[in-house]
Amino acid sequence: GRRRLQGVAVVHDLLVTLEEVFHGCTKHMKITRSRLNPDGRSLRTEDKVLNVVVKKGWKEGTKITFPREGDETPNNIPADVAFVLKDKKHPHYKRDGSNIIYTAKITLKEALCGCTVNVPTLDNRTMPLPCSDVIKPGAIRRLRGEGLPHAKTPSTRGDLVVEFQVVFPDRIPPQSKEIIKHSLAGC
Amino acid sequence: GRRRLQGVAVVHDLLVTLEEVFHGCTKHMKITRSRLNPDGRSLRTEDKVLNVVVKKGWKEGTKITFPREGDETPNNIPADVAFVLKDKKHPHYKRDGSNIIYTAKITLKEALCGCTVNVPTLDNRTMPLPCSDVIKPGAIRRLRGEGLPHAKTPSTRGDLVVEFQVVFPDRIPPQSKEIIKHSLAGC
């Protein structure tokens, strides 16, 4: 027979939310491709749904390949179709491997005088995080095991890292300045 | 005659201080190279000093080429010798194009209650920078024209950018906390 060649894989982005990575999910991806009719020469266009299984904790860049699901022509072996995992932007968290980072905005008063921050978790709980010591800008606290599952051992999880952003007031009245100056004199 | 080939350029880093870039300078770079003896076959090793002129404001990555100063052999055209500008780490500043960035560490008390920061300049002066408003962490102030000369128009200069880092106290005594809490209540 003739030697048939295979083209390079057709690669699609597969956008997933952190919640989907947390629980694992199956994405139903519709592709459109050409297939050869029984006459061996004419082509038809057909839709097909590929079920892409995303396992718990999979990282951005993970590639799932479906062999030979690309366009068919009289002369070629259909190319592979591949999906590459890509994280959707999350309203609360940034991802860092198996850890997720939550930025807690607190006021200067809260940073200096104490507060309790309500941290949202991936499974829709709220964890109260009491802060009694001075919180410095950029300081972090870890809620261990509240991050994403580790891809290789999904029974264990990364951390939810709380990173503090301290919001300063735009101005402080002169009389308050004087009082604060004296209160902070020994610090 | 025979066709003679030239090898790829020999590239060296040329480390310069920000002060050298500010004033312009000539660096005397000793290279060691092979040269052909008059017999046309045997080689000798010789040292040579290349004078590399660094003009005011030149950026990292600027390449200065000395044609055919590389090793000579019976069959080859000597390669070019090139120097690529690289900034030395500076104790006070980071470079950002024609701007230089100075990180001013101030205490929380200074950030809230006002202070004067003494900013060192490239030409060894000190510029007092009075700060009366609240300074937020990461805030910047520009001393215009106190940066590096622009390479193309060395009579004009970039800015000295002062970036504030606010150092928080490790702890605040409980009675001071109460006072500060009330002082910041309306802010």
Side-chain angles (χ1 to χ4, degrees):
Chain A
R2 247 178 320 179
R3 184 156 153 247
R4 298 198 303 165
L5 295 173
Q6 189 181 28
V8 290
V10 183
V11 179
H12 301 281
D13 280 345
L14 183 73
L15 283 162
V16 288
T17 65
L18 290 184
E19 282 80 2
E20 287 171 332
V21 172
F22 175 49
H23 294 289
C25 69
T26 300
K27 307 281 273 187
H28 310 287
M29 304 299 289
K30 196 172 94 173
I31 60 165
T32 303
R33 58 185 198 174
S34 300
R35 274 294 178 261
L36 212 52
N37 286 324
D39 64 13
R41 282 186 301 163
S42 66
L43 294 166
R44 68 182 184 282
T45 297
E46 65 173 31
D47 288 342
K48 183 176 180 181
V49 174
L50 300 175
N51 296 316
V52 189
V53 175
V54 176
K55 291 201 178 146
K56 288 184 181 192
W58 272 10
K59 291 193 170 45
E60 197 164 59
T62 303
K63 196 175 185 174
I64 308 104
T65 301
F66 291 81
R68 303 191 180 191
E69 297 285 1
D71 288 335
E72 203 171 34
T73 71
N75 309 311
N76 287 0
I77 299 170
D80 295 343
V81 171
F83 296 91
V84 173
L85 230 71
K86 210 170 162 164
D87 292 331
K88 270 188 199 164
K89 234 179 149 66
H90 194 279
H92 292 322
Y93 313 110
K94 280 180 299 185
R95 185 179 184 174
D96 176 26
S98 296
N99 297 331
I100 52 173
I101 300 168
Y102 174 73
T103 301
K105 274 194 187 182
I106 58 172
T107 65
L108 177 65
K109 192 174 67 181
E110 291 170 328
L112 300 179
C113 307
C115 60
T116 295
V117 173
N118 290 312
V119 181
T121 65
L122 264 178
D123 50 356
N124 284 315
R125 287 170 298 131
T126 297
M127 286 192 63
L129 181 62
C131 305
S132 53
D133 297 329
V134 169
I135 295 172
K136 302 178 182 183
I140 61 167
R141 292 270 294 270
R142 278 174 186 273
L143 302 179
R144 304 218 175 255
E146 292 290 339
L148 293 167
H150 295 111
K152 284 175 188 165
T153 51
S155 59
T156 66
R157 293 167 58 188
D159 301 334
L160 199 175
V161 178
V162 180
E163 190 177 303
F164 292 95
Q165 186 185 334
V166 179
V167 180
F168 275 47
D170 291 321
R171 62 181 300 279
I172 298 173
Q175 60 271 37
S176 300
K177 272 192 191 179
E178 277 310 305
I179 298 168
I180 292 169
K181 200 181 221 166
H182 286 102
S183 301
L184 287 176
C187 298
Chain B
R2 246 178 322 176
R3 187 158 153 243
R4 297 200 302 165
L5 295 174
Q6 190 181 27
V8 290
V10 182
V11 179
H12 300 281
D13 280 346
L14 183 74
L15 283 162
V16 289
T17 65
L18 290 183
E19 283 81 1
E20 287 170 332
V21 172
F22 175 51
H23 295 290
C25 70
T26 301
K27 305 281 273 188
H28 309 287
M29 304 300 289
K30 197 173 93 173
I31 59 166
T32 302
R33 57 182 200 176
S34 301
R35 275 294 177 263
L36 214 50
N37 286 323
D39 64 14
R41 281 187 300 166
S42 67
L43 295 166
R44 68 182 182 280
T45 297
E46 64 172 32
D47 288 341
K48 183 174 181 183
V49 173
L50 301 176
N51 297 316
V52 189
V53 175
V54 176
K55 292 201 178 147
K56 288 185 180 190
W58 273 9
K59 291 192 170 47
E60 197 164 59
T62 302
K63 196 175 187 174
I64 309 105
T65 300
F66 292 81
R68 302 191 181 191
E69 296 286 1
D71 288 335
E72 203 172 33
T73 72
N75 308 312
N76 288 0
I77 300 170
D80 295 344
V81 172
F83 296 91
V84 173
L85 230 72
K86 209 169 162 169
D87 292 331
K88 271 189 199 164
K89 235 178 145 67
H90 194 280
H92 291 323
Y93 313 110
K94 279 179 300 184
R95 185 180 184 174
D96 176 27
S98 296
N99 298 332
I100 53 174
I101 300 169
Y102 173 72
T103 300
K105 274 194 188 183
I106 58 172
T107 65
L108 178 65
K109 192 174 70 183
E110 291 171 326
L112 300 179
C113 308
C115 61
T116 295
V117 173
N118 290 311
V119 182
T121 66
L122 263 177
D123 51 354
N124 284 316
R125 287 170 298 131
T126 297
M127 286 192 63
L129 180 63
C131 305
S132 53
D133 296 330
V134 169
I135 295 172
K136 302 178 183 185
I140 61 168
R141 293 271 294 272
R142 281 175 183 273
L143 302 178
R144 304 218 176 257
E146 292 291 339
L148 293 167
H150 295 113
K152 286 176 185 164
T153 52
S155 58
T156 66
R157 293 168 59 188
D159 301 334
L160 200 174
V161 178
V162 180
E163 189 176 305
F164 291 95
Q165 186 185 334
V166 180
V167 180
F168 274 47
D170 291 322
R171 59 182 303 280
I172 298 174
Q175 60 272 36
S176 300
K177 272 192 191 179
E178 278 309 306
I179 299 168
I180 292 169
K181 198 181 222 167
H182 286 103
S183 302
L184 287 176
C187 299

